Amino acid sequence: MIVRPFRGLRPKKNMIEKVAAKPYDVVTTEEARKEAERNPYTFYKVTRPEINFDREVDTHSDEVILKGKEVLEEFQKNGIMILEDKPAIYVYKEEWKGLSQIGIYATFSTKEYRDGKIKKHELTRKDKEDERARHVKLLKAHTGPVFLMYRSKPELDTLIIKHTSKIPEYDYVDETGIHHTLWVVKDENEINEIVEAFKSVDAFYIADGHHRAAAAARAAEEFAKENPNHTGNEEYNFFLAVLFPHNQLNILDYNRVVKDLNGLSEEEFLNKVSEKFDVERVEKSPYKPTKKHEFGMYLNKKWYKLTPKKGTFDENDVVSSLDVSILQENLLNPILGIENPRTDKRIDFVGGIKGIEELERLVDSGEFKVAFALYPTSIDDLLKVADEGKIMPPKSTWFEPKLKSGIIVHLI
């Protein structure tokens, strides 16, 4: 597999804490706007460029997106962000709640993505792909990294970890308690050692950022069509990502809340659920599932443990035996009438980072009628789904800690 060094555009050492920001898709425009009022150097000005305008602006217009490009150029011109003097690979460590993941910032091949060597496990929506591809084209930059993983090998893991004994370029704890450390590897021999080592790897896997990867590949094809001298080595043929070993990554639960019982009374609903699940009232509040194929359900200030009955799913099929599939196929669709969780407005999804208590809060508020707590999808199941060329149901995985934007930018 191809791991390629690049000249990263990154914040000056004393500006990293001010510039780096959460991914654009986990904050609202208003949250980004408030941060910009407090901190004029936030990277939201690039990734959420509508905050540079009045609230009435068309957030999808070229003018708005190009303002993000202008801000990025101003950051560089004013010395807030600096362009590496030569290609580098960046060793990156995130520590959070006793967990640690160490990987590399580099650029990766859009051709290998199109060829299926960079494997995915989620479907992408064309409208979101289109929007992201426009951002890449107009900014001429990859501003947010894709989250990749490889099957851990001791020799590869050790090769990366050895660079962490050096003095880091960045070393700080952000507002959410995540400890970020980054080392710049510019020595050509050290870079070549990493590049050569990863040539022995058969595949990379997308953990998070499916739309960013798809958009990068789409933008690369469009850039190539516009370039009569296209060679395949241009910057647009490679996208920004951070690559981690699979065994260091952490998936949290991804829970569901539903607004109504699809016209059923509470008693009718529980009776229907009990046809497919063993339903047990539990006193523990809140109730968090302790293993695969176990669900928590919160209804009318009571918690229940649900266990699927024999025959409700195919144990030999990796997708249908996922807990998200079991819940969807045996309860959400047939009982609550949620055929397409991607588009149905009656369902919402709550990342495990918010805690099980958030499910209680949403139901007790009256906004939602019932909540479902799931056990986290495993990394092994994700790898198996991707290797079999299959697709997980939407909102199956919530990786934490996530990757920030603005730590490193890849200019095209």
Side-chain angles (χ1 to χ4, degrees), residues 186-332:
K186 287 201 279 191
D187 180 275
E188 288 184 19
N189 291 327
E190 291 179 334
I191 289 173
N192 287 336
E193 188 180 27
I194 294 170
V195 170
E196 288 301 315
F198 277 97
K199 285 181 179 176
S200 66
V201 175
D202 295 327
F204 294 147
Y205 300 83
I206 298 176
D208 203 3
H210 283 79
H211 285 96
R212 286 191 282 278
R218 174 95 64 82
E221 289 178 321
E222 292 174 15
F223 278 127
K225 283 177 192 168
E226 295 163 9
N227 181 6
N229 301 312
H230 172 79
T231 65
N233 294 318
E234 296 86 357
E235 290 295 327
Y236 57 72
N237 295 293
F238 302 89
F239 64 93
L240 178 67
V242 184
L243 177 68
F244 293 103
H246 82 283
N247 59 358
Q248 293 180 15
L249 300 186
N250 179 48
I251 300 179
L252 298 185
D253 42 308
Y254 214 159
N255 304 308
R256 277 85 170 121
V257 284
V258 181
K259 293 193 172 179
D260 59 65
L261 297 183
N262 198 26
L264 300 170
S265 69
E266 191 176 312
E267 185 182 1
E268 289 169 333
F269 171 69
L270 286 169
N271 285 339
K272 282 187 174 291
V273 171
S274 65
E275 291 172 12
K276 293 291 183 78
F277 297 84
D278 292 322
V279 181
E280 178 189 340
R281 174 89 167 85
V282 288
E283 295 304 322
K284 189 177 180 184
S285 178
Y287 177 72
K288 192 177 174 73
T290 58
K291 61 184 179 181
K292 190 176 180 180
H293 303 338
E294 189 176 285
F295 303 85
M297 182 174 75
Y298 186 63
L299 174 70
N300 193 15
K301 296 190 180 297
K302 300 185 192 79
W303 278 99
Y304 300 86
K305 181 170 90 169
L306 308 183
T307 310
K309 291 182 175 178
K310 197 165 179 61
T312 53
F313 64 94
D314 182 354
E315 294 179 26
N316 298 313
D317 183 277
V318 65
V319 175
S320 68
S321 63
L322 293 171
D323 284 353
V324 285
S325 299
I326 294 169
L327 187 68
Q328 176 62 30
E329 298 307 320
N330 293 282
L331 198 160
L332 296 178

Side-chain angles (χ1 to χ4, degrees), residues 331-389:
L331 198 160
L332 296 178
N333 185 1
I335 301 175
L336 293 178
I338 295 166
E339 293 180 28
N340 187 347
R342 284 179 184 280
T343 56
D344 199 309
K345 302 295 185 198
R346 296 166 53 232
I347 189 169
D348 207 352
F349 304 90
V350 182
I353 189 72
K354 294 185 176 178
I356 297 293
E357 295 80 8
E358 177 69 1
L359 301 183
E360 287 190 351
R361 189 192 70 76
L362 289 168
V363 173
D364 291 347
S365 74
E367 186 183 355
F368 293 89
K369 187 72 177 175
V370 62
F372 301 94
L374 284 77
Y375 191 72
T377 302
S378 72
I379 292 280
D380 287 339
D381 279 343
L382 186 156
L383 293 170
K384 194 173 177 186
V385 169
D387 281 338
E388 291 183 15

